[in-house]
Amino acid sequence: MQIQTNFSTIYITTDIQKVLGKILNENQQNKTFILVDENTKKHCLPLIEPLVQSMDYTMIEINSGENYKSISTLEKVWSILAETGADRNSLLVNLGGGIISDLGGFAGSTFKRGMKFINIPTTLLSQVDASVGGKTGINFLGLKNEIGVFNHPKHVFIDSRFNRTLDKRNILSGWAEMLKHALISDEKDWEKIILHDIKTIGFKELNQLIARSIHIKNHFVEQDPREKGIRKALNFGHTMGHAFESLFMNTQNEILHGEAVAHGMICELFLSNMHCGFSIEKMGKIVKYIMGLYSKLKIEIIEFDKIFDLIGHDKKNEGHKLNFTLLEDLGKIKVNVNCSKDDIIKTLNWYTSL
Ligand code: GLY
């Protein structure tokens, strides 16, 4: 399967070697660099390596984890590119999850004012989200994605077989973004996706759903590549979700991005009912489905103020306003909806009572 966007060609396959091999041969890069972390070096590189062994290629290994999506890791990547003579005709292959494609995409976009890069996302989350859409960047001064540019990979190669090495929580983390795409698309997409059991799904079936999810994301990206308006639809569930992610960060109850988004969507459906008249019956059904898959977060009343403060730090807010992307109905999106502290507290009270 192939999706041609305004920016990239996305290949969705269960035989990455065949598709990638053809593109690497056609591309005529003078040097090839493969960015990996210790996990993708072990589990994913063996699938790619036979294709590049005969080429002039260099592996660049960085440490996995959000703490390494940093200026010092970026400096390391730039240094290796410089020391080994990379130039604008070289190709950077980002092999990994969202941290690899964000950091590698930024390194590739800035080195010598931009070299070609391709993404091979190896987690379900990055297959349906980070690897497409052109957001690249690093964390800085404790803030996520504070420095970065919009720039798109030339190609994206998705092989759902990479998901074989993921545990159940990481699969569900990606699934949450796919559910979000269905909710911001329409009722038909939602009814279709929930028919599938993500715990038992086959690779071919999963590829079909990944393709649909990317189509939906791309529909919003192409209308508004630099997120000035309707691309904010993709932030549904993320304002509350980011606050939950930060609340549990560096604690024993740390949660994955998609888990945070799943609960963020539950809360933002409640806000959607409050502000945009989202049907209470539909909300009930969707909440029941999500709660059936993602264990409820343990949030205490004394943490409500902290959550409110964390929402205030979300970079999507302008000035002192708390802006949310909400839904009037499935696929009927309202961006920049202003919610008060009182609305947030009501939502958290409702959530904790579920
Ligand atoms: N992750 C949402 C976006 O790419 O806009």
Side-chain angles (χ1 to χ4, degrees):
M1 241 177 304
Q2 194 171 318
I3 301 175
Q4 184 60 53
T5 78
N6 286 348
F7 311 101
S8 313
T9 313
I10 301 163
Y11 301 90
I12 304 172
T13 172
T14 48
D15 188 356
I16 194 167
Q17 289 187 334
K18 197 165 140 201
V19 194
L20 178 64
K22 188 166 171 276
I23 297 293
L24 287 176
N25 284 330
E26 282 169 11
N27 200 57
Q28 302 213 322
Q29 59 279 358
N30 57 3
K31 283 177 193 295
T32 305
F33 295 84
I34 306 188
L35 183 67
V36 293
D37 61 29
E38 69 280 8
N39 299 317
T40 59
K41 181 182 167 188
K42 184 166 167 209
H43 299 293
C44 307
L45 189 59
L47 230 68
I48 308 301
E49 220 168 10
L51 302 173
V52 289
Q53 245 153 13
S54 60
M55 297 177 183
D56 181 5
Y57 103 92
T58 306
M59 185 187 72
I60 307 177
E61 184 178 346
I62 64 173
N63 292 322
S64 65
E66 197 67 37
N67 288 343
Y68 293 98
K69 192 174 157 184
S70 63
I71 185 85
S72 53
T73 308
L74 181 67
E75 196 180 345
K76 174 179 159 174
V77 176
W78 279 333
S79 303
I80 296 173
L81 291 172
E83 283 155 12
T84 45
D87 63 27
R88 285 195 199 136
N89 287 321
S90 307
L91 178 73
L92 177 62
V93 179
N94 298 317
L95 181 65
I99 294 171
I100 290 275
S101 59
D102 279 13
L103 187 139
F106 188 51
S109 303
T110 45
F111 185 77
K112 292 200 192 276
R113 297 202 178 92
M115 58 191 279
K116 274 177 279 182
F117 65 95
I118 64 177
N119 289 341
I120 307 181
T122 57
T123 62
L124 186 57
L125 183 66
S126 59
Q127 287 167 355
V128 295
D129 193 9
S131 71
V132 284
K135 286 186 178 175
T136 73
I138 55 163
N139 303 334
F140 190 60
L141 300 180
L143 297 169
K144 274 185 87 168
N145 303 324
E146 187 69 353
I147 309 288
V149 292
F150 285 101
N151 191 26
H152 297 261
K154 193 164 177 348
H155 304 285
V156 181
F157 296 89
I158 293 172
D159 188 331
S160 57
R161 288 176 305 163
F162 283 125
N163 295 319
R164 229 184 333 223
T165 57
L166 297 182
D167 61 19
K168 191 176 137 211
R169 280 187 70 189
N170 274 287
I171 292 284
L172 279 171
S173 182
W175 189 243
E177 290 287 357
M178 296 170 75
L179 295 175
K180 177 202 76 182
H181 287 154
L183 288 174
I184 62 172
S185 175
D186 58 28
E187 192 126 10
K188 229 163 99 193
D189 270 308
W190 174 256
E191 293 299 336
K192 219 158 141 193
I193 197 166
I194 62 168
L195 286 179
H196 296 270
D197 182 355
I198 185 60
K199 291 172 189 147
T200 54
I201 201 164
F203 297 128
K204 286 216 167 111
E205 214 180 342
L206 184 56
N207 269 354
Q208 301 281 352
L209 293 179
I210 290 171
R212 181 64 201 150
S213 214
I214 290 173
H215 263 296
I216 298 169
K217 175 167 182 175
N218 187 51
H219 167 75
F220 292 101
V221 171
E222 285 193 346
Q223 289 176 74
D224 175 24
R226 299 181 82 85
E227 202 179 42
K228 299 210 183 307
I230 195 61
R231 182 171 178 162
K232 292 181 191 172
L234 297 167
N235 296 336
F236 178 65
H238 281 62
T239 309
M240 296 289 283
H242 281 153
F244 294 149
E245 207 175 349
S246 304
L247 181 73
F248 294 108
M249 202 172 276
N250 300 324
T251 72
Q252 284 195 329
N253 300 325
E254 198 147 325
I255 53 173
L256 300 175
H257 175 73
E259 293 171 330
V261 168
H263 295 284
M265 289 193 291
I266 290 176
C267 291
E268 292 181 19
L269 281 171
F270 186 78
L271 284 170
S272 294
N273 170 259
M274 199 191 283
H275 281 271
C276 310
F278 191 94
S279 141
I280 201 137
E281 287 81 27
K282 284 186 193 174
M283 178 184 90
K285 284 187 190 154
I286 299 166
V287 168
K288 190 166 169 226
Y289 172 85
I290 298 176
M291 280 297 208
L293 283 180
Y294 301 86
S295 331
K296 190 176 156 187
L297 303 177
K298 290 187 186 68
I299 297 173
E300 306 294 336
I301 293 175
I302 50 161
E303 289 166 321
F304 286 6
D305 274 337
K306 188 162 177 207
I307 293 171
F308 175 74
D309 288 345
L310 287 167
I311 293 171
H313 282 129
D314 194 295
K315 68 176 179 317
K316 288 183 281 300
N317 293 307
E318 287 152 23
H320 291 296
K321 286 192 199 155
L322 295 182
N323 279 333
F324 283 79
T325 295
L326 300 179
L327 301 178
E328 287 173 350
D329 198 351
L330 284 91
K332 294 218 166 81
I333 299 135
K334 277 191 93 174
V335 298
N336 300 329
V337 182
N338 193 219
C339 297
S340 65
K341 180 167 183 177
D342 197 39
D343 298 335
I344 313 268
I345 302 296
K346 268 194 201 131
T347 304
L348 290 170
N349 264 316
W350 166 80
Y351 176 81
T352 50
S353 73
L354 284 172

